[in-house]
Amino acid sequence: MLLIYNAAIRLYFVVIWVFSFFNQKARFWISGRNKQVVIREQGCIWFHFSSLGEFEQGRPVLEAIRQKYPENRLVITFFSPSGYEVRKNTALADAVYYLPLDTPRNAREFIDAIQPKLVIFTKYEYWYNFFSELHRRHIPLYIISGIFRPGQVFFKWYGGLHRKMLGLVTWFFVQDDNSKQLLKNIGINHVTVSGDTRFDRVWDNALAPRELPSIAGFKNGHKLFIAGSTWPEDENLVAGLVTEYPGWKFIIAPHEIGGERVNKLIALLSSNAAITYSEFATRHSPLAAHQILIIDNIGMLSSLYQYGDIAYIGGGFGAGIHNTLEAAAFGLPVIFGPNYARFKEANDLVALKAGFSITNGEQLRTIMDTLVNDGAFYSAANKKLLAYVKEHTGATKTIVNGIEKKQ
């Protein structure tokens, strides 16, 4: 099985290399790893994140660990360019790298270089050769905000190697009881139900958000609909609301912000009332005169929601919805597409009647009409969202205390 795994890893590299000739993300993935020089460390703390979303999820633990162990240098790795390219200069780390391809040699050389004293992976990154090398050297490895579902390879008859990977982990801090039970069913008992650190992150952000005067100026006393992390399928639906709610302002923050992608969005809206944030920043065009603002940068979205009244979260017509909690922490009712079953918080919000799944434009307009016209319904959703997010905070403290006790 290990031979097949290592062969698959190398095949994955070949596929990415081929894609790199015409895909920017793949090009970054290859070139970033080829160019990086790893600085030798001694007793650092190593955090690994798949991409930007996992970084934000694990950030409360990262900040708490940095405060608790100030004498240790902190190293971050990312698997995806979407994390590395945005956070490569973060002040929260002493060094930031791409995670090398998971081969036995790469694992040995990288761990030789950074010499970690403890390692923390967030949510669902599992790499056999890195885990095996850490285990061989008796370096503690923790998984935080882990989440498991019955359909994952760990619980299939052919998942023997992946189950072995789980046995190489020092301790799991998982999001829910179902995850703990699934692990128990396959003999993994070194588990604590800590909750999801995203709740701590979004709650802290909501208590002290970064002020954006330009967005306040754009809203200018109007109601504001924010569509975050959208894809074309989401934008086709949101575009239909613009003419139906002429008194509302709309912010659309597409998941991908390349020039061609943004131009297609502007063409879809076919409105002189739309402006991109970069155009505003360059020309200082008065935002208050526009109905639609397109966010063509990365890093603003989590702070935008403080100005919103209703949120739409993209991704639900593809692989799955993006982060609903950032909007929920500000009490915004959230609307999203049908593919949300894998996301516990989205299921919780639907059960609370504070999150709403739609499959077409008619359903979107129905939900919108209800939220706009039924003040009691909107107010109830707002209160439920704030209570839900606050109630689920505390994972960071549980995790940091748990790691400290095991050192």
Side-chain angles (χ1 to χ4, degrees):
M1 253 340 248
L2 183 55
L3 288 175
I4 295 173
Y5 174 87
N6 285 330
I9 291 293
R10 288 174 170 82
L11 178 61
Y12 180 84
F13 175 83
V14 172
V15 171
I16 296 294
W17 179 79
V18 171
F19 270 89
S20 71
F21 288 97
F22 50 87
N23 180 279
Q24 186 183 54
K25 279 189 176 181
R27 192 156 52 249
F28 281 146
W29 196 97
I30 295 290
S31 64
R33 286 167 167 80
N34 287 341
K35 291 187 298 184
Q36 72 182 12
V37 177
V38 179
I39 300 171
R40 299 195 70 83
E41 306 282 353
Q42 186 65 46
C44 74
I45 297 174
W46 171 23
F47 275 82
H48 174 70
F49 307 103
S50 174
S51 61
L52 184 59
E54 286 71 37
F55 173 83
E56 293 300 330
Q57 184 168 27
R59 182 170 177 166
V61 176
L62 177 71
E63 293 173 337
I65 289 290
R66 189 168 183 83
Q67 185 175 12
K68 186 171 284 289
Y69 302 101
E71 70 280 7
N72 294 108
R73 283 173 59 84
L74 201 149
V75 172
I76 290 176
T77 55
F78 287 100
F79 180 77
S80 167
S82 67
Y84 177 84
E85 295 301 328
V86 176
R87 297 302 183 198
K88 59 187 176 183
N89 296 316
T90 178
L92 293 174
D94 297 293
V96 181
Y97 304 110
Y98 277 106
L99 182 73
L101 193 70
D102 185 35
T103 66
R105 179 178 176 178
N106 284 349
R108 288 194 303 271
E109 290 182 351
F110 187 76
I111 294 169
D112 279 343
I114 68 169
Q115 293 289 314
K117 64 176 287 186
L118 70 90
V119 182
I120 299 170
F121 276 47
T122 299
K123 196 173 182 180
Y124 47 42
E125 281 278 283
Y126 298 91
W127 299 109
Y128 181 84
N129 292 304
F130 279 102
F131 282 23
S132 180
E133 191 64 24
L134 290 169
H135 186 263
R136 187 181 71 80
R137 301 183 190 209
H138 306 289
I139 299 171
L141 167 63
Y142 300 98
I143 300 293
I144 64 171
S145 290
I147 186 78
F148 293 91
R149 299 178 302 277
Q152 290 173 310
V153 64
F154 309 108
F155 313 109
K156 301 293 188 180
W157 64 266
Y158 51 81
L161 182 69
H162 290 79
R163 285 190 287 276
K164 185 177 179 181
M165 253 189 255
L166 300 181
L168 300 173
V169 175
T170 304
W171 204 268
F172 292 88
F173 294 93
V174 298
Q175 294 184 26
D176 57 23
D177 290 319
N178 289 336
S179 294
K180 182 176 182 178
Q181 186 59 50
L182 284 168
L183 291 174
K184 183 178 180 180
N185 291 345
I186 58 171
I188 303 294
N189 295 301
H190 43 291
V191 183
T192 298
V193 179
S194 60
D196 187 349
T197 52
R198 283 183 304 166
F199 286 95
D200 296 328
R201 174 63 181 150
V202 300
W203 188 248
D204 288 345
N205 179 61
L207 291 177
R210 175 166 61 103
E211 293 186 5
L212 301 170
S214 57
I215 303 303
F218 169 72
K219 182 171 181 174
N220 195 32
H222 292 77
K223 293 291 186 179
L224 176 59
F225 184 100
I226 300 177
S229 302
T230 57
W231 296 86
E233 297 88 344
D234 306 301
E235 291 151 11
N236 287 332
L237 297 178
V238 173
L241 293 179
V242 175
T243 55
E244 296 190 27
Y245 291 90
W248 278 63
K249 294 292 187 83
F250 290 81
I251 289 179
I252 302 176
H255 184 69
E256 296 182 343
I257 58 171
E260 182 180 353
R261 177 78 175 78
V262 171
N263 289 337
K264 287 182 179 179
L265 177 54
I266 293 172
L268 170 68
L269 296 167
S270 62
S271 170
N272 293 326
I275 184 173
T276 64
Y277 190 83
S278 61
E279 182 181 356
F280 153 74
T282 302
R283 302 181 183 178
H284 299 287
S285 175
L287 282 177
H290 297 271
Q291 187 189 8
I292 308 165
L293 176 62
I294 299 171
I295 305 298
D296 54 350
N297 62 53
I298 294 174
M300 287 182 67
L301 184 57
S302 62
S303 300
L304 289 175
Y305 291 119
Q306 65 184 297
Y307 301 100
D309 296 282
I310 295 174
Y312 179 100
I313 308 301
F317 289 90
I321 59 173
H322 294 286
N323 193 336
T324 57
L325 292 178
E326 287 179 336
F330 287 102
L332 275 64
V334 288
I335 306 170
F336 39 81
N339 295 339
Y340 68 91
R342 295 187 294 111
F343 302 88
K344 180 182 182 299
E345 68 280 2
N347 286 279
D348 290 345
L349 297 182
V350 169
L352 288 171
K353 295 184 179 179
F356 309 92
S357 176
I358 53 98
T359 59
N360 54 52
E362 182 179 353
Q363 291 179 354
L364 175 58
R365 287 188 295 273
T366 297
I367 291 298
M368 185 73 173
D369 286 344
T370 301
L371 291 170
V372 170
N373 298 316
D374 189 337
F377 184 81
Y378 180 93
S379 178
N382 172 270
K383 292 176 181 177
K384 289 174 185 176
L385 288 161
L386 295 174
Y388 171 76
V389 175
K390 183 177 181 180
E391 179 185 343
H392 285 81
T393 58
T396 300
K397 183 177 181 180
T398 299
I399 291 167
V400 173
N401 287 345
I403 290 175
E404 185 178 28
K405 289 177 181 177
K406 292 171 177 57
Q407 294 307 300

